[in-house]
Amino acid sequence: MTFVGRDIVSIKDLSKEEILHVLDRAEDMVPAARGTEQNTLMQGKIMASLFFEPSTRTRLSFETAMKRLGGGVVGFAQPDATSLKKGETLADTIRTAEQYCDIIAMRHPQEGSARLAAEFAQVPVINGGDGAGHHPTQCLLDLFTIRKEKGSISDNRVALIGDLKYGRTVHSLAYALSLFQADIVFIAPQQLQMPSEVVEECQEMGARISFETQLETVIDDLDVLYVTRIQKERFPDPEEYNKVVGIYKVDLPLLEMAKEDVIVMHPLPRVYEIDSQVDGRPQAAYFRQAFNGVPVRMALISLVLGGIK
Amino acid sequence: MKELKVQPIKNGTVIDHITPGAALKVLKILDIPEQERDSIVSVVMHVEGKTGKKDIVKIENRELRAEEVDKIALIAPDATINIIRNYEVAEKHRVGIPDEIVGIVTCGNPNCISNAREPVTPRFVVKQRKPLRIQCAYCERELKDISAGLL
């Protein structure tokens, strides 16, 4: 198993063993990610952080990860200030940026952009989200969180809740959970249910899959609630949006019905789907999940650049 | 030859065993009638063959090029190409679907980077041959209507 020089465009670029290896190395990175230990693995290396659309967690945690490893960061947080505004192609931007760095972390609004960047770049490319496509580091940090909080990935009944049709994180996560033969419940209104090709793929991999429209029906039997935001822009008719937006609200009365050791995850940002009163409860794992983006990305950067094996 | 409802041709191409109903799409791929104003083109649809219904296209005085044959394979995977010279079948071959389809169809996803102004050729990976299912190598979406995406 070698990671050196590899592009990480999709979670499917990694085998189950490789995923577990990343999670193990991420575990080693936790003290340095918190700043309680010093780490100089990436000293002298530079990461280009190319964010062609806004991002809070992904960009900050990529950049924090590289800095916690002793490396440097160059890049941009929005394309307005770059040559893209002047009509430069992504291929040219990538071939230019790689002259100044050892690795590229990027987010771009178009599907397939990270694959294209990986084709043109000689340095490794890590995809931080390509439109409605892939977001492999989010998937890895989700798996890391489940394992850290629950002790294992496979022995859990995991509910993916909300916008399962368009949400990019839930497609990758469903695939990855299937690799670990987890028990998955897709909870969504009919019009936002998981696309059939994703479901078929999960089933072929041996996942146990079930579908629900109500969270209350299965809440007492769940180990992980993975809540996602229902995005207003997906609905041409605002009335349709209003019908579904409030139906999966995780609040204290709902938590009362759940197992005591259930965890609540969310890729964030959240809007209405998790009540802020839940934040203080031990079950609220979403900010710990956001932190986990740092050690996971530290591990991935170090593996791809050969700082660790 | 009794199932053929049209006359044999002296020189040209007979595309046989076209998926029933797909003959007009084959004409579109070959840019007929724009390209063949001077030659006779015959189309027979829904004729009974040995293994069920099929379409046939005959084009006089034109021998198909390899890239044209590749395109036909995408919409009529069972088609056979007969090159006719002096009323005889000089060459006969089946269309074949390669593992990767490059530069023949475009991705149906308007937000796919391969549809942007980038220096790349559209590329698809064949997921399944029968029925044909192809997936964009960039955005990984399956192309639902292959004939609509033909370049």
Side-chain angles (χ1 to χ4, degrees):
Chain A
M1 181 189 315
T2 179
F3 287 86
V4 179
R6 279 172 65 177
D7 303 303
I8 310 294
V9 172
S10 156
I11 192 68
K12 294 179 184 176
D13 292 340
L14 300 173
S15 68
K16 183 179 173 182
E17 288 66 34
E18 287 171 334
I19 290 173
L20 286 170
H21 188 70
V22 174
L23 303 191
D24 289 343
R25 297 289 73 80
E27 196 64 60
D28 302 339
M29 296 290 179
V30 170
R34 289 199 194 284
T36 54
E37 266 180 23
Q38 292 298 305
N39 187 318
T40 54
L41 274 172
M42 290 294 112
Q43 200 165 33
K45 301 283 188 190
I46 292 175
M47 179 182 81
S49 166
L50 310 182
F51 278 70
F52 298 89
E53 67 172 8
S55 154
T56 307
R57 275 152 298 279
T58 304
R59 184 174 65 82
L60 290 182
S61 68
F62 258 119
E63 296 182 2
T64 303
M66 192 57 173
K67 289 182 177 179
R68 292 286 199 204
L69 289 162
V73 177
V74 296
F76 50 83
Q78 46 204 2
D80 297 9
T82 70
S83 294
L84 282 161
K85 261 285 197 232
K86 301 172 191 163
E88 185 172 62
T89 61
L90 175 62
D92 280 1
T93 306
I94 292 294
R95 285 181 288 191
T96 306
E98 72 168 342
Q99 306 303 319
Y100 313 127
C101 69
D102 303 286
I103 186 168
I104 292 172
M106 66 175 277
R107 168 172 291 185
H108 191 280
Q110 285 182 281
E111 288 94 66
S113 51
R115 188 70 70 195
L116 180 140
E119 277 182 11
F120 281 94
Q122 303 297 311
V123 302
V125 172
I126 303 184
N127 184 8
D130 59 332
H134 297 289
H135 197 354
T137 57
Q138 177 72 45
C139 188
L140 287 167
L141 79 88
D142 291 341
L143 294 173
F144 183 81
T145 304
I146 294 173
R147 193 176 76 159
K148 202 166 175 56
E149 300 271 335
K150 304 295 295 179
S152 84
I153 298 169
S154 53
D155 302 328
N156 294 297
R157 189 150 202 239
V158 183
L160 305 185
I161 305 157
D163 174 7
L164 307 186
K165 186 174 182 185
Y166 301 105
R168 70 178 152 206
T169 61
V170 285
H171 297 174
S172 305
L173 186 58
Y175 168 86
L177 288 169
S178 303
L179 269 183
F180 291 89
Q181 274 83 44
D183 186 348
I184 313 170
V185 191
F186 295 133
I187 304 176
Q190 215 63 51
Q191 65 268 43
L192 292 178
Q193 201 33 282
M194 192 60 94
S196 57
E197 60 265 27
V198 179
V199 175
E200 280 165 30
E201 191 174 35
C202 294
Q203 283 168 333
E204 281 166 20
M205 290 162 68
R208 287 156 291 164
I209 305 279
S210 54
F211 301 89
E212 293 290 340
T213 51
Q214 301 293 323
L215 178 52
E216 288 77 6
T217 334
V218 283
I219 183 74
D220 59 347
D221 194 30
L222 298 171
D223 301 299
V224 178
L225 306 184
Y226 192 98
V227 189
T228 63
R229 182 167 58 101
I230 294 180
Q231 296 178 58
K232 198 172 187 173
E233 56 270 28
R234 304 293 187 200
F235 290 83
D237 182 353
E239 246 181 70
E240 286 297 309
Y241 169 74
N242 290 335
K243 271 188 214 166
V244 296
V245 66
I247 58 175
Y248 302 123
K249 194 175 173 91
V250 176
D251 53 16
L252 292 181
L254 187 91
L255 272 193
E256 290 301 317
M257 295 158 67
K259 287 182 182 176
E260 212 171 302
D261 63 346
V262 72
I263 59 163
V264 182
M265 295 173 63
H266 194 303
L268 304 177
R270 63 156 162 193
V271 187
Y272 306 109
E273 55 280 0
I274 302 177
D275 193 294
S276 59
Q277 287 192 314
V278 175
D279 298 356
R281 292 299 176 102
Q283 294 97 327
Y286 30 94
F287 292 118
R288 299 194 291 273
Q289 179 187 359
F291 164 76
N292 290 339
V294 179
V296 164
R297 291 179 173 112
M298 286 172 76
L300 207 53
I301 293 167
S302 306
L303 284 163
V304 165
L305 288 182
I308 54 171
K309 281 187 178 169
Chain B
M1 294 294 281
K2 74 176 167 55
E3 84 270 21
L4 296 183
K5 308 275 194 238
V6 288
Q7 292 294 311
I9 60 173
K10 185 178 180 189
N11 293 302
T13 305
V14 176
I15 310 164
D16 201 356
H17 302 108
I18 299 170
T19 314
L24 296 180
K25 289 178 183 168
V26 170
L27 296 186
K28 183 178 172 245
I29 289 171
L30 301 175
D31 201 16
I32 292 170
E34 292 305 315
Q35 288 289 316
E36 303 295 336
R37 289 185 181 279
D38 299 326
S39 58
I40 296 171
V41 177
S42 320
V43 178
V44 191
M45 295 177 79
H46 304 156
V47 289
E48 205 63 56
K50 284 177 192 159
T51 54
K53 287 192 185 295
K54 62 178 184 177
D55 289 2
I56 304 166
V57 170
K58 296 183 176 198
I59 312 147
E60 292 191 30
N61 302 319
R62 174 166 170 188
E63 296 188 5
L64 292 192
R65 298 186 306 272
E67 63 267 28
E68 293 173 319
V69 174
D70 286 347
K71 282 190 185 182
I72 291 169
L74 294 181
I75 54 151
D78 297 320
T80 51
I81 311 288
N82 302 281
I83 305 295
I84 311 293
R85 291 177 196 137
N86 203 20
Y87 296 106
E88 297 288 328
V89 177
E91 288 172 35
K92 182 173 185 133
H93 38 89
R94 279 183 166 273
V95 298
I97 295 168
D99 294 337
E100 212 176 45
I101 294 159
V102 183
I104 296 175
V105 278
T106 53
C107 183
N109 172 11
N111 202 40
C112 175
I113 196 75
S114 70
N115 285 323
R117 196 182 53 82
E118 295 291 339
V120 290
T121 308
R123 204 170 77 236
F124 289 81
V125 178
V126 175
K127 279 181 76 181
Q128 186 181 296
R129 283 169 196 277
K130 266 193 176 182
L132 184 63
R133 291 172 67 190
I134 63 174
Q135 186 181 43
C136 174
Y138 290 96
C139 75
E140 299 182 14
R141 296 262 180 98
E142 196 174 320
L143 184 61
K144 300 286 181 204
D145 186 354
I146 294 173
S147 58
L150 287 167
L151 277 168

